[in-house]
PDB file of all heavy atoms in Angstrom:
ATOM      1  N   TRP R  36      11.547  -8.436 -10.004  1.00 93.00           N
ATOM      2  CA  TRP R  36      11.300  -7.243 -10.782  1.00 93.00           C
ATOM      3  C   TRP R  36      11.763  -6.019 -10.010  1.00 93.00           C
ATOM      4  O   TRP R  36      12.207  -5.009 -10.581  1.00 93.00           O
ATOM      5  CB  TRP R  36       9.847  -7.140 -11.199  1.00 93.00           C
ATOM      6  CG  TRP R  36       9.443  -8.234 -12.129  1.00 93.00           C
ATOM      7  CD1 TRP R  36       8.518  -9.196 -11.925  1.00 93.00           C
ATOM      8  CD2 TRP R  36      10.025  -8.475 -13.497  1.00 93.00           C
ATOM      9  NE1 TRP R  36       8.526 -10.005 -13.043  1.00 93.00           N
ATOM     10  CE2 TRP R  36       9.338  -9.567 -14.026  1.00 93.00           C
ATOM     11  CE3 TRP R  36      10.955  -7.840 -14.225  1.00 93.00           C
ATOM     12  CZ2 TRP R  36       9.703 -10.078 -15.270  1.00 93.00           C
ATOM     13  CZ3 TRP R  36      11.249  -8.273 -15.515  1.00 93.00           C
ATOM     14  CH2 TRP R  36      10.588  -9.346 -16.052  1.00 93.00           C
ATOM     15  N   ARG R  37      11.577  -5.999  -8.682  1.00 94.00           N
ATOM     16  CA  ARG R  37      11.929  -4.915  -7.829  1.00 94.00           C
ATOM     17  C   ARG R  37      13.485  -4.714  -7.859  1.00 94.00           C
ATOM     18  O   ARG R  37      13.979  -3.615  -8.016  1.00 94.00           O
ATOM     19  CB  ARG R  37      11.480  -5.049  -6.428  1.00 94.00           C
ATOM     20  CG  ARG R  37      10.096  -4.781  -6.214  1.00 94.00           C
ATOM     21  CD  ARG R  37       9.762  -4.975  -4.667  1.00 94.00           C
ATOM     22  NE  ARG R  37       8.370  -4.876  -4.397  1.00 94.00           N
ATOM     23  CZ  ARG R  37       7.762  -3.696  -4.054  1.00 94.00           C
ATOM     24  NH1 ARG R  37       8.500  -2.619  -3.852  1.00 94.00           N
ATOM     25  NH2 ARG R  37       6.472  -3.768  -3.794  1.00 94.00           N
ATOM     26  N   VAL R  38      14.176  -5.785  -7.753  1.00 94.00           N
ATOM     27  CA  VAL R  38      15.623  -5.819  -7.823  1.00 94.00           C
ATOM     28  C   VAL R  38      16.140  -5.340  -9.113  1.00 94.00           C
ATOM     29  O   VAL R  38      17.033  -4.510  -9.222  1.00 94.00           O
ATOM     30  CB  VAL R  38      16.198  -7.178  -7.439  1.00 94.00           C
ATOM     31  CG1 VAL R  38      17.719  -7.262  -7.751  1.00 94.00           C
ATOM     32  CG2 VAL R  38      15.925  -7.523  -5.989  1.00 94.00           C
ATOM     33  N   LEU R  39      15.495  -5.804 -10.242  1.00 94.00           N
ATOM     34  CA  LEU R  39      15.868  -5.396 -11.551  1.00 94.00           C
ATOM     35  C   LEU R  39      15.691  -3.836 -11.767  1.00 94.00           C
ATOM     36  O   LEU R  39      16.516  -3.165 -12.350  1.00 94.00           O
ATOM     37  CB  LEU R  39      15.104  -6.171 -12.625  1.00 94.00           C
ATOM     38  CG  LEU R  39      15.496  -6.037 -14.076  1.00 94.00           C
ATOM     39  CD1 LEU R  39      16.901  -6.584 -14.287  1.00 94.00           C
ATOM     40  CD2 LEU R  39      14.562  -6.700 -14.975  1.00 94.00           C
ATOM     41  N   THR R  40      14.539  -3.378 -11.311  1.00 95.00           N
ATOM     42  CA  THR R  40      14.236  -1.967 -11.338  1.00 95.00           C
ATOM     43  C   THR R  40      15.328  -1.146 -10.570  1.00 95.00           C
ATOM     44  O   THR R  40      15.794  -0.102 -10.974  1.00 95.00           O
ATOM     45  CB  THR R  40      12.895  -1.638 -10.882  1.00 95.00           C
ATOM     46  OG1 THR R  40      11.958  -2.454 -11.679  1.00 95.00           O
ATOM     47  CG2 THR R  40      12.505  -0.201 -11.007  1.00 95.00           C
ATOM     48  N   GLY R  41      15.623  -1.622  -9.370  1.00 96.00           N
ATOM     49  CA  GLY R  41      16.608  -0.979  -8.525  1.00 96.00           C
ATOM     50  C   GLY R  41      18.007  -0.888  -9.121  1.00 96.00           C
ATOM     51  O   GLY R  41      18.686   0.069  -9.089  1.00 96.00           O
ATOM     52  N   ILE R  42      18.382  -2.057  -9.724  1.00 96.00           N
ATOM     53  CA  ILE R  42      19.738  -2.033 -10.326  1.00 96.00           C
ATOM     54  C   ILE R  42      19.799  -1.109 -11.501  1.00 96.00           C
ATOM     55  O   ILE R  42      20.738  -0.362 -11.771  1.00 96.00           O
ATOM     56  CB  ILE R  42      20.054  -3.514 -10.817  1.00 96.00           C
ATOM     57  CG1 ILE R  42      20.313  -4.395  -9.563  1.00 96.00           C
ATOM     58  CG2 ILE R  42      21.294  -3.532 -11.729  1.00 96.00           C
ATOM     59  CD1 ILE R  42      20.520  -5.802  -9.857  1.00 96.00           C
ATOM     60  N   GLY R  43      18.678  -1.086 -12.340  1.00 96.00           N
ATOM     61  CA  GLY R  43      18.625  -0.158 -13.518  1.00 96.00           C
ATOM     62  C   GLY R  43      18.613   1.268 -13.032  1.00 96.00           C
ATOM     63  O   GLY R  43      19.437   2.099 -13.622  1.00 96.00           O
ATOM     64  N   ALA R  44      17.935   1.618 -11.995  1.00 96.00           N
ATOM     65  CA  ALA R  44      17.880   3.007 -11.511  1.00 96.00           C
ATOM     66  C   ALA R  44      19.287   3.376 -10.875  1.00 96.00           C
ATOM     67  O   ALA R  44      19.761   4.537 -11.078  1.00 96.00           O
ATOM     68  CB  ALA R  44      16.835   3.132 -10.487  1.00 96.00           C
ATOM     69  N   LEU R  45      19.867   2.459 -10.181  1.00 96.00           N
ATOM     70  CA  LEU R  45      21.200   2.715  -9.653  1.00 96.00           C
ATOM     71  C   LEU R  45      22.238   2.928 -10.756  1.00 96.00           C
ATOM     72  O   LEU R  45      23.046   3.892 -10.595  1.00 96.00           O
ATOM     73  CB  LEU R  45      21.657   1.539  -8.796  1.00 96.00           C
ATOM     74  CG  LEU R  45      22.876   1.646  -8.020  1.00 96.00           C
ATOM     75  CD1 LEU R  45      22.708   2.755  -6.925  1.00 96.00           C
ATOM     76  CD2 LEU R  45      23.272   0.372  -7.298  1.00 96.00           C
ATOM     77  N   CYS R  46      22.161   2.192 -11.788  1.00 95.00           N
ATOM     78  CA  CYS R  46      23.076   2.391 -12.874  1.00 95.00           C
ATOM     79  C   CYS R  46      22.900   3.715 -13.541  1.00 95.00           C
ATOM     80  O   CYS R  46      23.903   4.369 -13.942  1.00 95.00           O
ATOM     81  CB  CYS R  46      22.948   1.301 -13.941  1.00 95.00           C
ATOM     82  SG  CYS R  46      23.654  -0.339 -13.416  1.00 95.00           S
ATOM     83  N   VAL R  47      21.654   4.114 -13.735  1.00 96.00           N
ATOM     84  CA  VAL R  47      21.388   5.411 -14.390  1.00 96.00           C
ATOM     85  C   VAL R  47      21.931   6.474 -13.431  1.00 96.00           C
ATOM     86  O   VAL R  47      22.571   7.520 -13.931  1.00 96.00           O
ATOM     87  CB  VAL R  47      19.902   5.595 -14.605  1.00 96.00           C
ATOM     88  CG1 VAL R  47      19.540   7.013 -14.973  1.00 96.00           C
ATOM     89  CG2 VAL R  47      19.470   4.667 -15.706  1.00 96.00           C
ATOM     90  N   GLY R  48      21.646   6.426 -12.190  1.00 95.00           N
ATOM     91  CA  GLY R  48      22.099   7.449 -11.197  1.00 95.00           C
ATOM     92  C   GLY R  48      23.635   7.581 -11.185  1.00 95.00           C
ATOM     93  O   GLY R  48      24.230   8.616 -11.227  1.00 95.00           O
ATOM     94  N   ILE R  49      24.250   6.409 -11.141  1.00 95.00           N
ATOM     95  CA  ILE R  49      25.811   6.423 -11.086  1.00 95.00           C
ATOM     96  C   ILE R  49      26.313   6.964 -12.451  1.00 95.00           C
ATOM     97  O   ILE R  49      27.254   7.731 -12.467  1.00 95.00           O
ATOM     98  CB  ILE R  49      26.353   5.026 -10.806  1.00 95.00           C
ATOM     99  CG1 ILE R  49      26.015   4.624  -9.384  1.00 95.00           C
ATOM    100  CG2 ILE R  49      27.836   4.978 -11.114  1.00 95.00           C
ATOM    101  CD1 ILE R  49      26.348   3.180  -9.014  1.00 95.00           C
ATOM    102  N   GLY R  50      25.717   6.567 -13.538  1.00 95.00           N
ATOM    103  CA  GLY R  50      26.119   7.070 -14.829  1.00 95.00           C
ATOM    104  C   GLY R  50      25.974   8.572 -14.967  1.00 95.00           C
ATOM    105  O   GLY R  50      26.856   9.214 -15.506  1.00 95.00           O
ATOM    106  N   LEU R  51      24.921   9.082 -14.439  1.00 95.00           N
ATOM    107  CA  LEU R  51      24.757  10.571 -14.517  1.00 95.00           C
ATOM    108  C   LEU R  51      25.718  11.296 -13.567  1.00 95.00           C
ATOM    109  O   LEU R  51      26.203  12.355 -13.961  1.00 95.00           O
ATOM    110  CB  LEU R  51      23.268  10.917 -14.097  1.00 95.00           C
ATOM    111  CG  LEU R  51      22.182  10.619 -15.130  1.00 95.00           C
ATOM    112  CD1 LEU R  51      20.798  10.841 -14.518  1.00 95.00           C
ATOM    113  CD2 LEU R  51      22.398  11.400 -16.407  1.00 95.00           C
ATOM    114  N   ILE R  52      25.879  10.773 -12.429  1.00 95.00           N
ATOM    115  CA  ILE R  52      26.816  11.442 -11.399  1.00 95.00           C
ATOM    116  C   ILE R  52      28.169  11.383 -11.917  1.00 95.00           C
ATOM    117  O   ILE R  52      29.002  12.327 -11.836  1.00 95.00           O
ATOM    118  CB  ILE R  52      26.561  10.902 -10.024  1.00 95.00           C
ATOM    119  CG1 ILE R  52      25.192  11.266  -9.512  1.00 95.00           C
ATOM    120  CG2 ILE R  52      27.697  11.395  -9.032  1.00 95.00           C
ATOM    121  CD1 ILE R  52      24.822  10.624  -8.210  1.00 95.00           C
ATOM    122  N   ALA R  53      28.684  10.179 -12.292  1.00 95.00           N
ATOM    123  CA  ALA R  53      30.054   9.996 -12.664  1.00 95.00           C
ATOM    124  C   ALA R  53      30.332  10.382 -14.090  1.00 95.00           C
ATOM    125  O   ALA R  53      31.530  10.485 -14.462  1.00 95.00           O
ATOM    126  CB  ALA R  53      30.410   8.492 -12.535  1.00 95.00           C
ATOM    127  N   GLY R  54      29.306  10.667 -14.945  1.00 94.00           N
ATOM    128  CA  GLY R  54      29.579  11.096 -16.238  1.00 94.00           C
ATOM    129  C   GLY R  54      29.890   9.975 -17.145  1.00 94.00           C
ATOM    130  O   GLY R  54      30.660  10.161 -18.155  1.00 94.00           O
ATOM    131  N   VAL R  55      29.410   8.811 -16.920  1.00 93.00           N
ATOM    132  CA  VAL R  55      29.686   7.677 -17.700  1.00 93.00           C
ATOM    133  C   VAL R  55      28.428   7.276 -18.520  1.00 93.00           C
ATOM    134  O   VAL R  55      27.508   6.661 -17.905  1.00 93.00           O
ATOM    135  CB  VAL R  55      30.115   6.441 -16.878  1.00 93.00           C
ATOM    136  CG1 VAL R  55      30.515   5.232 -17.724  1.00 93.00           C
ATOM    137  CG2 VAL R  55      31.330   6.793 -15.980  1.00 93.00           C
TER     138      VAL R  55
END
Side-chain angles (χ1 to χ4, degrees):
W36 293 116
R37 282 182 188 265
V38 169
L39 189 65
T40 304
I42 290 172
L45 186 66
C46 286
V47 170
I49 291 172
L51 287 173
I52 292 171
V55 182

